[in-house]
Amino acid sequence: MNKTKAKDSVFPDCPIRNILARISDKWSILIIYTLYKSEEKALRFNELQRKIPDISKKMLSSTLRTLEDDGYVTRTVYPEVPPKVEYTLTLRAKSLLPHINALIAWAAENQEAIMKDRGKATRR
C-alpha cells in the first residue's frame, strides 16, 4: 500500500483510509502520545528515542517526517553548532488527542477480556 495515499478500487478517495493509513502504523500514535505526555515541552530527537526505546533511529526519523508532512508535528531547527532540532505537536494533533485517549481507555478496559479470548483461540 502506498503510504502517501491509500487507494481502493471501490472507494478511491476514501478519507478514512487515507488518514488511517498514515496514523495507524506501529509508531505514529505512540510518538504523538509521547509528545503529548511531555506536557507542552518540545522534545529533541534523542529525548523522543529515550522515551520510546524500542524504536530505531531510522524509523523514528521516518515517522517524524511523515507526521510533519501531515501537519501533526512541528519540527523547529535552531541555527546552532551542533544543530538543535525540537519537535512539538500542532493544533491538528492536539485535536486528535481526545480520540487517542478514548482509544487508550477502551483498550485498558477491554484488554483482559481480549487476552482471554486470544488464549481460547490459541487453544483451539
Side-chain angles (χ1 to χ4, degrees):
M1 177 186 310
N2 180 344
K3 196 164 168 118
T4 303
K5 189 168 184 181
K7 283 292 186 180
D8 179 308
S9 61
V10 180
F11 303 105
D13 293 312
C14 178
I16 294 169
R17 283 183 53 111
N18 289 316
I19 303 280
L20 287 180
R22 297 287 281 233
I23 64 168
S24 68
D25 65 27
K26 185 174 180 179
W27 301 109
S28 293
I29 290 178
L30 185 57
I31 290 170
I32 290 170
Y33 193 73
T34 302
L35 286 167
Y36 161 67
K37 293 304 276 184
S38 74
E39 299 172 358
E40 301 294 323
K41 180 181 157 259
L43 292 180
R44 295 182 72 179
F45 185 90
N46 287 335
E47 291 175 299
L48 263 171
Q49 190 169 31
R50 272 193 298 279
K51 291 177 182 288
I52 310 170
D54 49 342
I55 191 170
S56 69
K57 285 184 179 194
K58 181 179 179 181
M59 186 53 66
L60 178 57
S61 177
S62 171
T63 306
L64 282 168
R65 199 171 310 114
T66 299
L67 291 170
E68 183 184 7
D69 290 347
D70 285 359
Y72 297 106
V73 170
T74 300
R75 179 179 185 264
T76 305
V77 181
Y78 297 93
E80 300 176 0
V81 177
K84 177 180 173 182
V85 180
E86 293 181 333
Y87 298 91
T88 55
L89 293 179
T90 63
L91 291 176
R92 178 174 299 143
K94 290 176 184 177
S95 73
L96 179 60
L97 287 167
H99 306 286
I100 293 172
N101 286 329
L103 181 59
I104 291 168
W106 179 89
E109 186 178 306
N110 289 280
Q111 181 178 4
E112 189 175 322
I114 291 169
M115 293 301 133
K116 281 182 184 176
D117 289 341
R118 283 185 188 171
K120 290 177 197 174
T122 317
R123 290 189 293 274
R124 282 190 251 153

